[in-house]
Amino acid sequence: MTNKSRVLLAEQGDDMVHDLLQDIIMRSYALGDSDKVSDALLFFLVRAANTWRSVRTLQKHTKDDEGFMVDAGTLFRAIYDVYLQAEYLVSDPSRSLERAHDYFDFEHVERYKAMKRILSANNWIAKQLQQSSMRSEGKQTNKQNYDSVKSRFQSKKGNVRNQWYAGNLQGIAEIAGKLDEYKIFLAAFNGCVHSSASAVRHGPLVQSKHALVMTSGIVAKIARLNVVHNKLALSPDYQKLLEVLCCSPDEESD
């Protein structure tokens, strides 16, 4: 097989993954917003699918492997963060709805904290917002929304946390039964996010040819959570593709 043929075959495979993700997203969206757990899973899937598309675009248009893999590693770190949140959301069915509400309602905390940071700053952005005719009304609405939910996100000391879940990402990985994966995958790509000398010089310990395959595997697992929760009946071809994408090497050898 020529190199051109291999590239074409890979493109066709990637197109199939794209179509699979699009099908699951559209069918999940069509269910409406009456199920908050389904809504949250859909948000996670859309975020991850967009990141998958970004990795694919980078791989296609970035000629040097080193430059591609540092950015791809950053995106892979982001998509794995999404995956852990999705797994945590559904890891305890008795608490999934509560967690979904926390996920969406934390938006009020984010908006309020962002508003406080901006309005307390002394720069041109803050000054423009301070002079806005809508500032007073917006500030009042943000404060009311924040006050209505903040007690759910407070520690015993009264501090309001900076993310919708309690603790940190490692903590929810442990709750979701993904601690080993967290320790391996997150550590492998942290240097790309923080521009460590090792990452910038050598990139992550993953070959560029495997980057999109790895990304596809993670986003497929998020897609599977949507399929299971929403009880979606995929076509036989899509079902088989999803199973293949979600199957790790150790599962294949069993």
Side-chain angles (χ1 to χ4, degrees):
M1 181 181 294
T2 65
N3 185 60
K4 184 177 180 180
S5 298
R6 283 193 292 269
V7 170
L8 180 60
L9 188 61
E11 282 285 331
Q12 292 173 343
D14 294 339
D15 286 341
M16 291 175 62
V17 175
H18 172 275
D19 293 344
L20 167 67
L21 297 176
Q22 186 177 57
D23 181 68
I24 295 173
I25 288 172
M26 295 303 296
R27 294 176 64 188
S28 298
Y29 179 78
L31 296 174
D33 58 1
S34 59
D35 182 345
K36 284 297 179 185
V37 177
S38 177
D39 287 350
L41 287 172
L42 179 58
F43 270 49
F44 290 138
L45 179 56
V46 169
R47 174 68 177 89
N50 285 337
T51 303
W52 175 89
R53 184 178 58 185
S54 296
V55 174
R56 184 185 185 187
T57 301
L58 276 173
Q59 187 178 56
K60 186 174 182 178
H61 296 286
T62 308
K63 301 304 180 183
D64 61 295
D65 289 350
E66 293 79 6
F68 161 66
M69 279 309 301
V70 173
D71 282 345
T74 300
L75 292 171
F76 191 86
R77 169 64 175 76
I79 205 173
Y80 202 79
D81 190 308
V82 177
Y83 166 62
L84 290 176
Q85 291 184 64
E87 285 282 7
Y88 167 73
L89 177 72
V90 297
S91 62
D92 182 350
S94 68
R95 299 193 63 186
S96 291
L97 183 58
E98 173 193 344
R99 291 171 180 175
H101 279 289
D102 284 348
Y103 172 69
F104 286 110
D105 289 345
F106 192 75
E107 177 182 355
H108 299 310
V109 176
E110 290 180 302
R111 287 181 177 274
Y112 178 74
K113 288 190 172 187
M115 179 192 69
K116 285 192 67 176
R117 286 194 301 269
I118 292 172
L119 294 181
S120 64
N122 184 26
N123 55 52
W124 65 273
I125 299 176
K127 289 177 181 178
Q128 281 195 338
L129 291 173
Q130 289 164 4
Q131 295 169 4
S132 170
S133 59
M134 300 177 65
R135 173 196 167 192
S136 179
E137 180 181 352
K139 182 177 180 180
Q140 182 178 358
T141 300
N142 280 345
K143 184 66 165 62
Q144 289 173 345
N145 289 334
Y146 171 74
D147 287 340
S148 71
V149 302
K150 70 176 182 180
S151 62
R152 287 160 46 196
F153 305 104
Q154 283 180 310
S155 67
K156 292 180 180 179
K157 295 181 179 180
N159 299 320
V160 177
R161 59 182 183 253
N162 293 319
Q163 64 283 323
W164 68 271
Y165 49 84
N168 53 30
L169 195 62
Q170 180 174 338
I172 68 170
E174 185 170 11
I175 291 171
K178 304 295 178 181
L179 186 57
D180 284 346
E181 293 183 40
Y182 169 88
K183 290 179 178 179
I184 295 173
F185 286 109
L186 270 290
F189 296 98
N190 279 340
C192 296
V193 176
H194 302 299
S195 302
S196 71
S198 176
V200 173
R201 187 187 304 275
H202 306 292
L205 298 177
V206 176
Q207 291 182 319
S208 61
K209 63 182 179 181
H210 299 311
L212 193 56
V213 174
M214 294 178 66
T215 309
S216 297
I218 298 300
V219 71
K221 290 181 180 181
I222 302 172
R224 183 171 60 182
L225 293 176
N226 281 259
V227 169
V228 171
H229 179 80
N230 293 323
K231 298 181 174 60
L232 300 180
L234 301 180
S235 70
D237 287 344
Y238 279 165
Q239 184 63 45
K240 181 60 177 177
L241 176 58
L242 186 63
E243 291 173 2
V244 170
L245 290 172
C246 291
C247 185
S248 62
D250 60 317
E251 292 172 327
E252 290 178 349
S253 62
D254 289 343

